[in-house]
């Protein structure tokens, strides 16, 4: 259980960019990807979303798929992001290469579009029926890359991507895998937009995490993947960073709300710090979950205060750039955390103006240059499933 875990590749597609370079550029420029939907056909045109402005047909062409394929949008986005990560890592797919992917929406974009056809018994698009299950997205991606070893799907709502990363690291540490591709993918759907709207936690404006006047989140879509490799097989390969620690906990409070004291978030951060073998004071920056809902931001803030009693490190939420991409969020923010370490920069918490009176915490609101060695990334999901990851700068 003592094998080190190195990140040797990463890939991403989000509302602010189709690869690592584009995402980094837009983070530096403080350019948000939140706006009106173009490809998601919805009656809720007043609700802003963070949509990737590429049609699924075009994504299919980028992957050289046949015309009658049954890849859903989540599988397409995921495959593009994973492809970038695999190419950067330069790995060879073999029996000791695993694939763990998080998704919440799965292929719901296809089944909701063809549901009436299914009911009517039309055969043309029946190839999408199986896509309703989250595991179908993972299967299609594994099939595309020829991964036949350990393949698994994580679906723990908004902590899915982070949990996939954590499970991959545990598999390496236990000696079960030498390398593993981990992350998450989710796309925008009418079902999720309607569902979050019914919960009354969507904002009609760009979200403002940790602000006193925050009034809800913006849904987004995207995918991100990391290649994790065991330290003892690197042989001098370039390393982007290391997964130093991780923790998962559940506050068992409510189906969709976090406890006011942030018990789940507190326990996840506490366990991540313990597993990393560090003290809270060594954390240089927190990429917060920061959804901009009344409940989450107050709960997370209180948990942060409980962990970092001696002094709150710099923190910010990047969801005003990408929207909340659900199962993909933890993976996107893992990439941003690694970019923070490699570039020694903290990215801003957009749209913030006034601190919450309950905590008085103020996030970083402009791009900040800072010496960073350890970054904590938080991802909290419905059902109280909370996960924290700690990434370390490579010292080689």
């Amino acid at each position: 259980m003592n094998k080190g875990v190195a990140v040797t590749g990463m890939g991403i597609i989000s509302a602010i960019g189709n690869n690592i370079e584009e995402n980094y550029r837009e983070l530096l420029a403080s350019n948000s990807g939140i706006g009106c939907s173009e490809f998601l056909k919805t009656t809720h045109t007043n609700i802003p979303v963070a949509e990737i402005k590429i049609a699924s047909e075009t994504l299919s062409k980028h992957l050289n798929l046949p015309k009658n394929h049954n890849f859903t949008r989540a599988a397409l986005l995921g495959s593009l992001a994973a492809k970038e990560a695999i190419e950067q890592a330069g790995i060879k797919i073999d029996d000791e290469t695993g694939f763990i992917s998080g998704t919440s929406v799965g292929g719901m974009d296809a089944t909701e579009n063809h549901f009436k056809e299914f009911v009517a018994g039309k055969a043309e698009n029946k190839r999408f029926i199986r896509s309703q299950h989250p595991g179908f997205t993972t299967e299609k991606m594994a099939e595309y890359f020829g991964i036949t070893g350990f393949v698994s799907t994580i679906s723990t709502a908004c902590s899915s991507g982070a949990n996939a990363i954590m499970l991959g690291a545990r598999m390496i540490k236990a000696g079960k895998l030498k390398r593993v591709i981990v992350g998450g993918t989710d796309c925008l759907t009418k079902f999720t937009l309607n569902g979050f709207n019914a919960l009354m936690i969507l904002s009609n404006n760009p979200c403002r995490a940790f602000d006193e006047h925050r009034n809800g989140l913006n849904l987004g879509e995207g995918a991100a993947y990391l290649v994790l490799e065991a330290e003892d097989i690197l042989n001098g390969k370039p390393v982007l960073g290391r997964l130093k620690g991780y923790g998962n906990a559940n506050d068992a409070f409510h189906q969709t709300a976090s406890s006011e004291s942030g018990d789940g978030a507190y326990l996840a951060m506490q366990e991540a710090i313990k597993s990393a073998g560090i003290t809270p004071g060594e954390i240089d920056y927190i990429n917060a979950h920061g959804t901009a809902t009344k409940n989450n931001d107050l709960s997370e803030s209180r948990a942060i205060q409980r962990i970092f009693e001696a002094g709150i490190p710099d923190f910010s939420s990047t969801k005003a750039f990408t929207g909340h991409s659900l199962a993909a969020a933890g993976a996107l923010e893992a990439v941003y955390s690694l970019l923070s370490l490699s570039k020694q920069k903290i990215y801003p918490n957009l749209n913030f103006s006034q601190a919450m009176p309950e905590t008085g915490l103020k996030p970083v609101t402009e791009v900040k240059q800072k010496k960073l060695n350890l970054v904590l990334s938080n991802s909290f999901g419905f059902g109280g499933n909370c996960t924290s990851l700690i990434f370390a700068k490579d010292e080689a």
Side-chain angles (χ1 to χ4, degrees):
M1 295 297 290
N2 294 319
K3 290 180 181 289
V5 180
V7 181
T8 59
M10 57 185 184
I12 189 171
I13 182 168
S14 76
I16 61 170
N18 302 329
N19 51 47
I20 295 291
E21 183 180 351
E22 290 180 10
N23 273 263
Y24 177 61
R25 182 187 66 210
E26 299 306 293
L27 288 168
L28 281 186
S30 297
N31 288 334
S32 171
I34 295 170
C36 299
S37 64
E38 180 179 339
F39 300 112
L40 179 68
K41 304 306 178 185
T42 173
T43 57
H44 299 298
T45 54
N46 61 311
I47 300 176
V49 294
E51 185 180 59
I52 294 167
K53 301 305 182 186
I54 307 176
S56 293
E57 293 75 17
T58 304
L59 295 172
S60 302
K61 291 177 182 177
H62 288 325
L63 294 169
N64 297 314
L65 295 174
K67 190 173 182 180
N68 65 339
H69 69 79
N70 60 348
F71 278 61
T72 61
R73 187 167 176 85
L76 294 169
L77 296 174
S79 296
L80 281 168
K83 187 171 185 285
E84 182 182 17
I86 291 168
E87 289 175 352
Q88 184 180 39
I91 60 171
K92 178 183 177 182
I93 304 297
D94 58 21
D95 291 343
E96 295 184 278
T97 302
F99 180 51
I100 307 171
S101 183
T103 187
S104 182
V105 173
M108 203 179 293
D109 64 304
T111 54
E112 71 180 11
N113 284 337
H114 300 300
F115 176 73
K116 291 181 180 178
E117 297 175 20
F118 301 156
V119 173
K122 294 182 180 179
E124 184 180 357
N125 291 304
K126 281 191 174 181
R127 66 187 186 279
F128 288 113
I129 288 178
R130 287 180 57 232
S131 68
Q132 179 76 13
H133 192 285
F136 182 82
T137 299
T138 307
E139 289 175 14
K140 296 308 294 184
M141 292 178 63
E143 176 186 305
Y144 180 79
F145 293 109
I147 303 171
T148 57
F150 182 83
V151 176
S152 185
T153 302
I154 301 285
S155 192
T156 54
C158 309
S159 59
S160 301
N163 279 331
I165 294 169
M166 181 179 72
L167 177 58
R170 293 181 65 187
M171 295 286 285
I172 287 176
K173 281 182 171 291
K176 300 294 184 182
L177 293 170
K178 288 186 176 180
R179 68 190 66 80
V180 58
I181 302 152
V182 291
T185 181
D186 258 338
C187 64
L188 289 166
T189 69
K190 290 179 281 189
F191 180 88
T192 44
L193 188 69
N194 292 339
F196 276 79
N197 192 45
L199 289 171
M200 297 185 288
I201 55 174
L202 293 181
S203 176
N204 289 334
N205 299 294
C207 66
R208 44 200 311 175
F210 298 106
D211 191 274
E212 165 61 10
H213 302 293
R214 66 197 184 283
N215 65 347
L217 59 84
N218 308 125
L219 284 176
E221 62 180 356
Y225 288 86
L226 308 179
V227 175
L228 305 181
E229 297 195 66
E231 192 85 33
D232 56 6
I233 68 165
L234 292 177
N235 296 321
K237 177 185 285 192
V239 172
L240 306 177
R242 284 174 166 76
L243 184 53
K244 185 83 171 174
Y246 42 76
N248 173 266
N250 196 301
D251 61 15
F253 175 74
H254 187 270
Q255 285 184 322
T256 58
S258 303
S259 60
E260 290 189 5
S261 56
D263 289 342
Y266 169 80
L267 291 169
M269 287 188 283
Q270 183 184 62
E271 180 59 29
I273 290 167
K274 180 182 177 182
S275 72
I278 62 172
T279 63
E282 294 178 77
I283 297 293
D284 300 304
Y285 164 58
I286 304 170
N287 186 300
H289 187 55
T291 61
T293 62
K294 288 289 185 181
N295 172 254
N296 175 86
D297 290 7
L298 181 56
S299 176
E300 185 174 10
S301 294
R302 284 177 169 154
I304 288 171
Q305 286 181 320
R306 291 170 65 187
I307 288 287
F308 299 97
E309 295 177 316
I312 309 295
D314 286 330
F315 73 97
S316 65
S317 167
T318 48
K319 285 188 173 63
F321 287 94
T322 63
H324 190 352
S325 54
L326 305 181
L332 264 66
E333 289 156 24
V335 168
Y336 294 161
S337 297
L338 287 159
L339 279 174
S340 286
L341 288 167
S342 66
K343 306 295 185 181
Q344 297 288 281
K345 285 184 172 62
I346 294 173
Y347 308 111
N349 193 112
L350 302 179
N351 309 320
F352 177 87
S353 61
Q354 185 177 341
M356 295 177 282
E358 296 93 337
T359 63
L361 298 186
K362 296 181 180 179
V364 173
T365 56
E366 295 181 355
V367 176
K368 181 176 180 178
Q369 187 83 32
K370 181 183 178 181
K371 184 178 180 180
L372 302 172
N373 292 312
L374 292 168
V375 172
L376 171 69
S377 182
N378 284 336
S379 298
F380 309 141
F382 280 175
N385 193 293
C386 300
T387 300
S388 295
L389 306 174
I390 295 176
F391 294 97
K393 186 177 186 297
D394 179 49
E395 299 299 335

